[in-house]
Amino acid sequence: MTVDQMPTVADRPRATASASRTRSAGRPGATMTARRHRAFYMFVAPWIVGFLLLTIVPMAYALWLSFTTFDGISPNWHYVGLGNYRELMNDSVTWDSLGRAGLFALVSVPLSIVAGLGLAVLVNRPIRARGLFRTLLYLPAVVPPVGAGIAFKNLFDQNAGATNGVLTFFGFDAIGWLADPYARYVLIMTVLWGAGNIMIISLAGLQDVPRELHEAARIDGASAWRTFRSITVPLLSPVLLFQTVTGVIASVQTIMPMLLAPLATTGGLTTVPQSNYTYMIHVFSQYFALGRYGYASALLWVLFVLILIATGLIFRFTSGVVFYNVDPEAKK
C-alpha cells in the first residue's frame, strides 16, 4: 500500500462504524437474544412494579407501624420498639383467638379437601348430564364471600331464618345458630359451601391419572377402594399438598365470622360470638374499633411469620409422601 492509498484521519470514523455494522451483522444470535431479554422485561415490568408498590411497600410500612403507637389519625405517636410485640406475647385474648383460628384450620381444611375430592370423584364418572352437575356444584365457589355470608346469615337467623322455619314446622324449638355454641358449626358450613373450588382442582388431577394404571389394578383383582387408595391418592398427592397449604393460609385469615355475626355493634365493631372470635377478627377490632394501628400491624407480622413456619412444616413432614410424576428424560 502506497502513501496515497492509506486512509485519512477523516475516513477513520466511517471505517470504524462500517466495521461495527459488519460485526453486528455477523452476530444475529446476539441481537435476537437482546431482543428477547427486552421483551421479557417489558412483559414482567407491570408485575414487578405492582409487586413492589402493592406488596413490598405496604409490608414495609406495616413493619414500621408495628414499632410505633400510631392510631391512624393523631400525629402524636411514639416509637416503642418491640413494645407491641412484648404486649401481644402477654395478651391472652391474642393467643385465644390464634388458638381458635388454628382449630378452625385443623377442622375446615381436611373437611373441605375430602368434600371437594369426593365431589370430583363423583362428577368424574361417566354419568348423564355430567357437565351440568359440574357447573351446579362449582357455582357456589364463585359467589362473593360477602354474598355467601349474608345468605347464610339470613338462612340461619333465629327469628326469620329458613332453617328454624323447617325445625318449627316439625315441632322442634328454634335454635340460635348465630350465637354460641352453634356459630362455629355455621362457619364450617360456609367453608363446605365453597368446596366446588377444590372439586375443580381435584377433578383436573383425577383426569391426569393414567387409565392404564387403573386397568392394570383391575386385572390384578384390586377393589375400587384399593385402587383409589394405592394409585389415585398417591398420584394426587401434589394436588392435595397444594390444597392443604392454600387452605391453611386462607382459613387462618378468614373474616367470614364478621359477616355471620348479629347486627348488634360494640364500639363500632360488629359483635362476634366468642367461639368465632378468630385471630383476624382480633386484628380487625384492633385496627378499626380501637384504632391501634401499631399493635394490629404487629399482630399481622406475627401471623405472617407463623404462616411461613406452618408452610415449612407442612412441606417438611409431607416430603416423603408426596409423589411427583416426573419424566426421567426431563432431568437430563
Side-chain angles (χ1 to χ4, degrees):
M1 178 181 296
T2 63
V3 176
D4 296 335
Q5 293 175 331
M6 293 181 63
T8 63
V9 176
D11 294 334
R12 288 178 184 175
R14 280 180 288 181
T16 303
S18 177
S20 300
R21 288 194 297 269
T22 303
R23 287 195 297 268
S24 300
R27 294 186 300 170
T31 304
M32 183 61 68
T33 302
R35 291 178 179 176
R36 290 177 177 176
H37 288 173
R38 287 195 298 268
F40 168 79
Y41 288 113
M42 288 178 62
F43 276 108
V44 301
W47 181 89
I48 293 176
V49 173
F51 178 73
L52 292 176
L53 296 181
L54 302 179
T55 302
I56 298 300
V57 172
M59 289 181 66
Y61 181 64
L63 180 61
W64 172 77
L65 284 181
S66 67
F67 299 116
T68 68
T69 59
F70 185 62
D71 61 359
I73 300 176
S74 175
N76 299 322
W77 57 269
H78 304 283
Y79 177 81
V80 293
L82 299 177
N84 290 325
Y85 293 93
R86 285 193 294 266
E87 180 180 350
L88 70 87
M89 292 297 293
N90 299 318
D91 187 1
S92 60
V93 178
T94 296
W95 292 109
D96 290 343
S97 63
L98 182 61
R100 295 187 194 97
L103 180 61
F104 173 67
L106 190 64
V107 174
S108 63
V109 172
L111 279 179
S112 59
I113 291 177
V114 171
L117 181 58
L119 292 175
V121 172
L122 290 177
V123 298
N124 193 44
R125 300 177 64 84
I127 59 177
R128 183 175 299 179
R130 182 171 58 178
L132 176 62
F133 285 113
R134 291 177 179 177
T135 302
L136 293 177
L137 291 173
Y138 181 68
L139 278 179
V142 300
V143 175
V146 175
I150 295 176
F152 269 83
K153 184 175 180 178
N154 294 329
L155 182 65
F156 289 96
D157 185 79
Q158 184 174 0
N159 299 320
T163 304
N164 281 335
V166 174
L167 291 178
T168 54
F169 178 80
F170 288 101
F172 296 97
D173 295 332
I175 298 176
W177 293 103
L178 302 180
D180 291 322
Y182 301 101
R184 67 185 67 182
Y185 305 121
V186 177
L187 181 60
I188 294 176
M189 291 179 191
T190 61
V191 176
L192 297 178
W193 165 264
N197 190 23
I198 296 179
M199 179 200 70
I200 291 296
I201 300 176
S202 299
L203 181 62
L206 286 174
Q207 294 180 349
D208 195 43
V209 176
R211 295 183 179 179
E212 295 81 5
L213 298 179
H214 288 170
E215 294 174 356
R218 284 196 297 268
I219 293 174
D220 290 340
S223 63
W225 169 246
R226 181 60 184 274
T227 302
F228 178 79
R229 182 170 60 88
S230 301
I231 296 178
T232 305
V233 172
L235 292 178
L236 281 179
S237 55
V239 176
L240 299 178
L241 175 62
F242 168 78
Q243 293 173 345
T244 301
V245 173
T246 56
V248 168
I249 295 174
S251 61
V252 298
Q253 298 183 75
T254 182
I255 60 171
M256 187 62 74
M258 291 292 302
L259 303 175
L260 297 175
L263 295 177
T265 60
T266 302
L269 177 68
T270 302
T271 302
V272 177
Q274 190 69 19
S275 59
N276 281 359
Y277 192 85
T278 57
Y279 193 85
M280 286 303 297
I281 304 302
H282 184 52
V283 173
F284 188 90
S285 66
Q286 295 298 318
Y287 261 119
F288 300 104
L290 302 178
R292 302 188 63 191
Y293 280 51
Y295 186 69
S297 298
L299 290 173
L300 288 178
W301 266 98
V302 169
L303 180 63
F304 173 72
V305 173
L306 291 176
I307 288 176
L308 286 181
I309 295 174
T311 304
L313 291 176
I314 292 174
F315 278 102
R316 173 66 179 84
F317 289 108
T318 59
S319 59
V321 296
V322 177
F323 175 77
Y324 294 98
N325 188 14
V326 180
D327 186 6
E329 297 296 330
K331 297 181 179 180
K332 298 181 180 179

